[in-house]
Each structure stands twice: as structure tokens, then as C-alpha cells.
Amino acid sequence: METVNALGRRKEAVARVYVNEGAGKIEINGRDIETYFPSSILRYIVLQPLNKLGVAAQYDIKANLDGGGFKGQAEALRLAIARALVKINPEDKAALKAEGFMTRDAREVERKKPGQPKARKHFQFSKR
């Protein structure tokens, strides 16, 4: 099997993933997943598509993560891994789609408006 690549995005985070056959090693920006994501919850999010299909020990994954925060990066990486797994085996798409791993979360931060402290918040109105 040749290298399969895929792209995932979430908020400002972008994940580029390269998947090869291997022993289940995941490397993110040149670091191991345990050091890049110390939180077990974030590691769980990243590994969800692999665990759903039961192929966590079959593929080595190299990922480049850029932008965003750690939660957005984890969810972008989950989407990229799911897309790569579908490129490898298209029959897996239905199982991953049912869990919501194939959907790009399109929610973005709303911009701040002029004359206001935040996007929706307003300064207190004073009648006099």
C-alpha cells in the first residue's frame, strides 16, 4: 500500500495526514501523540475513527498540525484520519459517517463588530 494523504479542518486548525501500513505509531509534528496531546480525552478524540473500525494497530500515521487550539487540532486530525481511512477502504464510509466523523464542523468564530466589546455583546445603554 502506498501512502494515503488527507486533509482535515476545524475552526482555524488544519491537519495534513499521511497514512502507511505499520504498527499503529502516530507522529504529530515530529512528536509522539502522547507528548503532543498529554490529555487522554484529546487522544481519545484523535483515535475514534481507528477504534471504531478496529484498525488502530494496522496503520502508521504522520500528521502536520497547524493553527487553532488543541481541541480544534484534535478534531481536525480526527476528520483527516477518517477521510484517509475512507480513501483506503471506501466500504468504511457508512460506519464513520454514522458516528459523525466524516462531517466537517463548519462553525467559525463570529467577528467583532465596531462600537461593541465583542461580536454579540453590547455596551450598556444609558438613556441620560
Side-chain angles (χ1 to χ4, degrees):
M1 174 187 122
E2 72 280 351
T3 302
V4 176
N5 60 333
L7 185 75
R9 290 190 181 96
R10 170 76 171 98
K11 291 185 173 181
E12 288 292 310
V14 179
R16 291 172 197 84
V17 167
Y18 305 93
V19 179
N20 291 312
E21 283 186 11
K25 188 173 185 294
I26 300 176
E27 190 178 282
I28 304 166
N29 292 352
R31 294 192 286 176
D32 192 52
I33 188 170
E34 277 80 21
T35 56
Y36 196 86
F37 289 124
S39 167
S40 61
I41 296 166
L42 296 177
R43 285 197 303 270
Y44 173 77
I45 288 171
V46 170
L47 296 172
Q48 275 180 315
L50 297 166
N51 292 334
K52 173 69 180 168
L53 300 176
V55 295
Q58 291 181 19
Y59 300 111
D60 283 345
I61 297 171
K62 281 194 173 191
N64 293 330
L65 281 174
D66 185 45
F70 46 84
K71 181 89 157 69
Q73 286 187 349
E75 293 184 8
L77 185 54
R78 176 176 71 183
L79 176 61
I81 290 171
R83 286 178 171 172
L85 291 173
V86 168
K87 278 186 181 178
I88 293 168
N89 188 4
E91 290 91 56
D92 294 335
K93 186 172 184 177
L96 293 174
K97 194 172 175 74
E99 293 289 323
F101 302 148
M102 295 301 296
T103 306
R104 191 326 193 168
D105 193 344
R107 294 177 294 172
E108 296 286 336
V109 176
E110 188 174 338
R111 78 176 193 87
K112 181 194 173 299
K113 313 302 186 304
Q116 296 179 16
K118 291 183 172 180
R120 298 283 176 103
K121 189 174 183 181
H122 290 267
F123 291 118
Q124 185 173 355
F125 176 74
S126 174
K127 196 165 193 175
R128 287 174 192 85

